[in-house]
Amino acid sequence: MQEAVNQQQVLDSAEIRKDFPILERSVQGKPLVYLDNAATTQKPRSVIDAEAEYYLKHNANVHRGIHTLAEEATEAYECTRDRIASWIGGVAREEVIFTRGTTEAINLVAHSWGGANIGKGDRIVLTQMEHHANLVPWIQLAKKNGAELAYLPIDGEGRLDLSSMDSIITPNTKLVAITQMSNVLGTINPAAEVAARAHSVGAVVLADGAQSAPHMPVDVKVLGVDFFAFSGHKMLGPTGVGALWGRRELLEAMEPWQTGGEMILLVKWDRATWAELPHKFEAGTPNIAGVAAWSKAFDYLDRFGMDAVRSHEVEWTRYTMNRLLGLGFVNIFGPKDVEERGSAISFEVEGVHPHDLAQFLDSRGVAVRAGHHCAQPLTKLLGQTSTTRASGYLYNTTAESDRLAEALLEAKKYFG
Amino acid sequence: MQEAVNQQQVLDSAEIRKDFPILERSVQGKPLVYLDNAATTQKPRSVIDAEAEYYLKHNANVHRGIHTLAEEATEAYECTRDRIASWIGGVAREEVIFTRGTTEAINLVAHSWGGANIGKGDRIVLTQMEHHANLVPWIQLAKKNGAELAYLPIDGEGRLDLSSMDSIITPNTKLVAITQMSNVLGTINPAAEVAARAHSVGAVVLADGAQSAPHMPVDVKVLGVDFFAFSGHKMLGPTGVGALWGRRELLEAMEPWQTGGEMILLVKWDRATWAELPHKFEAGTPNIAGVAAWSKAFDYLDRFGMDAVRSHEVEWTRYTMNRLLGLGFVNIFGPKDVEERGSAISFEVEGVHPHDLAQFLDSRGVAVRAGHHCAQPLTKLLGQTSTTRASGYLYNTTAESDRLAEALLEAKKYFG
Amino acid sequence: MHNHDHQLDEMYRDIILDHYRSPRGRKDVADPTVVNEGMNPSCGDEIEMKVRLKGDTVEELGVHCAGCAISVASGSMLSEIAEGRTISELKVIAAAVKGMLTTGEVPEEIELDELSDIEVLEGVRQFPVRIKCALLAWVTLVEGLERYEKGGSGENASTTEDANPTVIV
Amino acid sequence: MHNHDHQLDEMYRDIILDHYRSPRGRKDVADPTVVNEGMNPSCGDEIEMKVRLKGDTVEELGVHCAGCAISVASGSMLSEIAEGRTISELKVIAAAVKGMLTTGEVPEEIELDELSDIEVLEGVRQFPVRIKCALLAWVTLVEGLERYEKGGSGENASTTEDANPTVIV
Ligand SMILES: Cc1ncc(COP(=O)(O)O)c(C=O)c1O
Ligand SMILES: Cc1ncc(COP(=O)(O)O)c(C=O)c1O
Ligand code: FES
Ligand code: FES
């Protein structure tokens, strides 16, 4: 078959791939093509080594320890906090709270801030493209406290339709929670514009950065949001780590959510007072090794800069979308213009069910995801029960997109 | 000075130490003597390698994925669940919920079960020796729902005094939460006896197994408790993993606590229904690598068996306590009889403040902990603001106890 | 010619793909005695089944499945063997299919190889995530029949709904 | 003879250990103008300070510290230089001590080496967890003086308590 000409790549993916040992693996007898990056990304050797190094040389419980290992462990752990604080736009380190991931970060806000600040008749505004992590906690809160939910709609290309924003973000709106980049449609949302409107009615704004932080430069101050949540494992970091950034005044006014060791100031038989930020929100022994190793993921991304990572992905996405559309039987959801979207490409293949397709692609070594991608209401809105999603990262090449396209052609014949 | 004769050791600690690379390290120019195991334990090479191996070969997000890596990752993750289910006494795998650690496990019970089942005028019974993790969540719940708190007292040797148990565990008691082994006193509590009384008044029983699970055989059925919480990092496993076991009927009746992806069945714009156990309680991407590697910690402990681990520690504790008491200026808190206690030995040295002591010991390569050990009310009850704690594990030798004793003698001279 | 993968072809046997491309039993049933809808929540796929019984025996069965190849083929195969069999015969066969797909054990009295193409579903066993696909039709049938036996209408009771928040979508 | 570790001895200088073993200023103050209690929550150690002012000037100061060697020594040294100095002089010195222990920067106008033994606290800087120990007395003094200046009683207001659960201990 006719090979498409490889487009100029912004990053030298061939070089980059050498840092990711798993990419040399074969699956089902074929070299792995890993296109499930929106679910979780692979890890460079530096991250894997850092986690081992922590256990080989410095492991101890953090904070309060007076011995050398405890000091080293605390330093490694707290160092990542500094890294994040500067990485998301130069915020104060005390405003960065470690969590297991985006989900726990949003749950923290929903339980602690939401529980106290959202009451009967108040409105919570979301978008129609939220991941369950930024949807179910708010449904539960609305149910518990008697609030109402409203959704900013999407247009036919899966972009946020802001024409009705002013009537949806009403004066009784207390919170607007919005994903900065959709994990299904790839859409990059005008979070700053939404935040401005939300603030004009006095609402607090949370941005779900699970998909944006890994793939584009993020500055929470420029975005103008109040809370920002993201996960380490989707940006070359270890599983089991994530972070919540929040504005100091909000965090300081909030009651802690999880309680226990390390987050208290004084405990008596009948009462407790809380430690300063950020410890107030970090109860118990954290994922120390994971947090320590996460900093190497930032180092790795900083080698190129997030502008370059973004440019690389724009080109990769453009190439991949063209390649899939060129097959003639693939329908892509989400924005057509690559400048308006990230590298998560969800699609349908006429006559082939997404789960059969994913199974077939796996037999060709190509890892994609099939399902509702934790966004059931959106999937239904698209008229689907599930879709197939290929999602790229800085190590993905256009040659891999060709492998995907060829396998799709085969699948079409196999099931058609 | 006169060297004490090394006692017969149950386990071959010299051999075991070879599996723990960090134990070869020096601190402040002296070989490390790591006696801070109650805070966190060191990790054998097999655990460290397993975590790296996961990232090097199998990394993907768990559940729902149809591609090969996702299946392998899911299998590695779920395998540890089976391992735990059999390890704590042969419970059903669905009853085992992964958390970040003991703290999160207890918070889950306090928020989900406690929030719905403990109301005004109900009583929560704890002991005077609880860690903040099994204290503060209940204080908060009591405050929120108008319940009262009562504490089972300790006697002069730091043992639970059950003489007044029947008058403390009253008919309005809804929950009894008790540590199975104290992290300060070392005391092993008669959890089964307390559970029997609690059940006779219809109360639910939670055991905090953070210190017991790593150091002795545990069978939750024999204990007769309803919830059991413990942490991986205190038993040779990675940081950032822990587990809650709960009786199926209780877990099934409970509402989820954290919500988001992976824990739902169906989500609509205004409602959601929940996945089956155990997924209902595991929202978002978990610490997959950590959970996968944790199974190697169980493998490692199983090489000896928990009876042997316990016997080893009994002998080590006996030797160490005798050695410290022999110095003439050390006062040990907690049971004198080693059969009634674990290997956490908290003590005071007349005339030397615990923080100065820990600092001095560190300069001699000896890592101990000084402070309230996340048990402020207990520490105060002991008439202290802080204590020094040396805590052992299967790799600790009596020669290390000698190093501790010698350093204490030096410290006494230095500050005295 | 494609160079098909062996394990994949074990699941997607030609017979299965044939049932997928041309599903049997995709018909409407007049005056149904049993109507049931089934769904696999993890993928969202749905199946609708209508059965007209005459006494204990299935006189006519129609199945509409909007799902993957495995679920469509499995429903199609079910429709091929259902008519003319009694409720209890069908329950035994459904249990045998489940045994074949999960434990690998099939009760001795059942000769699946005599049951049209059903035996070819066995290849699915190697793909644990897909077993639910092959079972969907069988679970939906048995559920409907059992509700009928218990004296229910045979109609799927709509799920009860408690107070949910006001929503503007 | 012990073979002391160099870094450790940098913190526990002989002068510090001497102040620890025989703390100065451990006296009661009659008719105190300022009474303040301080505490380091992370270790639970407490200090009590009483000051009698004459106008702007500290006439008498007493300090009782139940803490580690560093906190006791620091309080003892404070008591040696406080009497006869004005409130504003003491605040400048406290800021200088803090500077020495944290950023390492001490305002030019202050000559810490002329202030009794205070300069030897500098060794604590290499042990970040212990800096709070060295600061405890200084923070407690300044807090008390500032409350006095703001027209407060100079007595520590007891912390307010909201409704707590009934407790049986
Ligand atoms: C947009 C979005 N939000 C939230 C999440 C949840 O992240 P995590 O599973 O790491 O908590 C994800 C990923 O699964 C996501 O893509
Ligand atoms: C008795 C006890 N309970 C609970 C905990 C809390 O465990 P984690 O910090 O792993 O959540 C600890 C350890 O810190 C402990 O010793
Ligand atoms: S994937 Fe839905 S039934 Fe097979
Ligand atoms: S350790 Fe408490 S003041 Fe120094």
Side-chain angles (χ1 to χ4, degrees), chain A residues 3 34 50 55 66 84 96 124 133 167 218 230 262 283 320 326 362 416:
Chain A
E3 284 282 27
Y34 186 76
Y55 288 126
I66 280 186
I84 292 176
V96 176
I124 297 168
S167 66
V218 167
F230 60 113
E262 309 298 337
T320 308
D362 182 56

Side-chain angles (χ1 to χ4, degrees), chain C residues 58-80:
Chain C
V58 171
E59 205 175 47
E60 198 178 2
L61 180 145
V63 59
H64 292 260
C65 184
C68 65
I70 306 298
S71 63
V72 169
S74 181
S76 169
M77 290 171 187
L78 181 154
S79 79
E80 280 193 328

